[in-house]
Amino acid sequence: MTAARFPSHAAAFFYAAPPARRCTAWLSLLLVMALAACSSAPTTHGEVEGESFHGKELLQSDSNRMATLAMKENLESLFLLMDKLYRRNPAEWKKTAASREAAVAYVRIAIMERQPWLELQEKRDVAALSLALQPTFTGDRVAAFVYAAADTIITAHGGLTSFTLIDGLDPQHVFNAARNLEIANWILNSRKAADGKPLLLSNQADDAQSNLSYEREMGKIIGRLDLLASYTTERYRRSVIGYGQGLVAGPFLQFLPVR
């Protein structure tokens, strides 16, 4: 390969320059080449994945589909949080099963099949959430917290995890669920157990290590709930406006005779 060469007039100017200026020129050239290499490097961080078509989608509007996908993602986030909490608090899963994987499976089944969690004394949604965060609670706190959080979200959606044209959402209930999770998250990070230790080890931020993955995942759930509440409110508001626009504009949208 033939090496690149400066034009003769540029080379003459370059070699005639003082050594300090030549050094600066070389550094500038190297910097430009480094930036070009960085900009051309592959930056693959995954891609958006859609689901395969299901016949049930024919019974779903766009808003139904959005609510269904948001619910699915929120539950998956809770299951991910459960695994993270179990890893940091291994004494908790030992109260439920012989292994962490088995404990995760038991809680997941109870949530998806809407089965009661015995340690919560038949309490549901916010009542269960309150009990799971009591300093005196002695059961599997990870299971109780995740189960209660999931039950709070599902209850706010009318007890449904999938939505069709005949289903509706109360945006205020969805909004309230987001606030309840914010409160629960604050309690979990600030309240102490009877022995003075944290209720559960979750986030970690110190000089040795920083791990805020729990906080980020909880933030995703709250953000989805807030977006769905705002979208549902706006959809209902726009339906009223659209109806009014039809009444006002209707007389002006009549076809005119052409013969």
Side-chain angles (χ1 to χ4, degrees):
M1 180 182 294
T2 304
R5 302 178 60 185
F6 285 123
S8 57
H9 62 279
F13 175 80
F14 179 80
Y15 289 110
R21 183 171 297 179
R22 269 185 277 170
C23 182
T24 302
W26 276 115
L27 290 175
S28 300
L29 179 61
L30 290 174
L31 179 60
V32 170
M33 294 173 64
L35 291 175
C38 290
S39 63
S40 61
T43 56
T44 301
H45 298 289
E47 59 184 19
V48 178
E49 295 183 4
E51 292 190 349
S52 301
F53 175 77
H54 298 285
K56 190 174 182 180
E57 293 183 42
L58 297 175
L59 302 176
Q60 292 179 324
S61 64
D62 289 346
S63 58
N64 294 148
R65 190 65 186 153
M66 178 180 177
T68 299
L69 292 176
M71 174 63 74
K72 177 185 176 183
E73 292 299 321
N74 282 336
L75 292 179
E76 288 300 325
S77 287
L78 283 176
F79 298 146
L80 178 60
L81 285 176
M82 176 169 51
D83 188 62
K84 289 178 178 290
L85 289 173
Y86 271 148
R87 290 176 184 274
R88 294 215 65 197
N89 303 271
E92 299 302 315
W93 62 256
K94 294 177 182 179
K95 301 174 184 178
T96 295
S99 68
R100 188 187 78 253
E101 293 80 7
V104 169
Y106 292 156
V107 180
R108 188 182 187 112
I109 291 172
I111 291 173
M112 299 307 296
E113 297 186 3
R114 305 286 283 150
Q115 299 173 356
W117 193 254
L118 296 180
E119 292 179 340
L120 290 173
Q121 304 168 14
E122 298 186 357
K123 297 183 183 296
R124 306 301 293 255
D125 53 80
V126 292
L129 203 53
S130 178
L131 177 58
L133 295 172
Q134 291 299 318
T136 55
F137 184 80
T138 58
D140 181 346
R141 196 185 297 277
V142 172
F145 173 73
V146 171
Y147 177 92
D151 197 64
T152 296
I153 293 174
I154 295 173
T155 300
H157 289 71
L160 301 172
T161 57
S162 181
F163 306 88
T164 63
L165 293 170
I166 62 174
D167 302 317
L169 282 178
D170 187 323
Q172 187 63 49
H173 288 167
V174 178
F175 176 86
N176 291 347
R179 305 288 75 75
N180 287 333
L181 289 189
E182 284 181 336
I183 294 170
N185 190 43
W186 181 85
I187 292 175
L188 189 64
N189 288 323
S190 59
R191 184 177 289 177
K192 303 296 182 181
D195 57 3
K197 297 180 180 179
L199 296 181
L200 289 172
L201 295 176
S202 54
N203 298 308
Q204 181 179 357
D206 51 39
D207 295 336
Q209 187 176 9
S210 179
N211 181 2
L212 300 177
S213 60
Y214 171 88
E215 194 77 24
R216 288 195 295 270
E217 205 64 38
M218 183 63 77
K220 290 179 184 179
I221 298 173
I222 295 171
R224 292 188 197 105
L225 291 172
D226 278 335
L227 177 60
L228 183 61
S230 298
Y231 174 79
T232 304
T233 300
E234 182 69 10
R235 182 170 64 87
Y236 291 152
R237 189 180 70 86
R238 290 300 305 175
S239 295
V240 175
I241 293 176
Y243 179 75
Q245 289 174 334
L247 292 178
V248 173
F252 303 100
L253 297 178
Q254 301 297 323
F255 289 113
L256 300 176
V258 294
R259 58 177 177 177

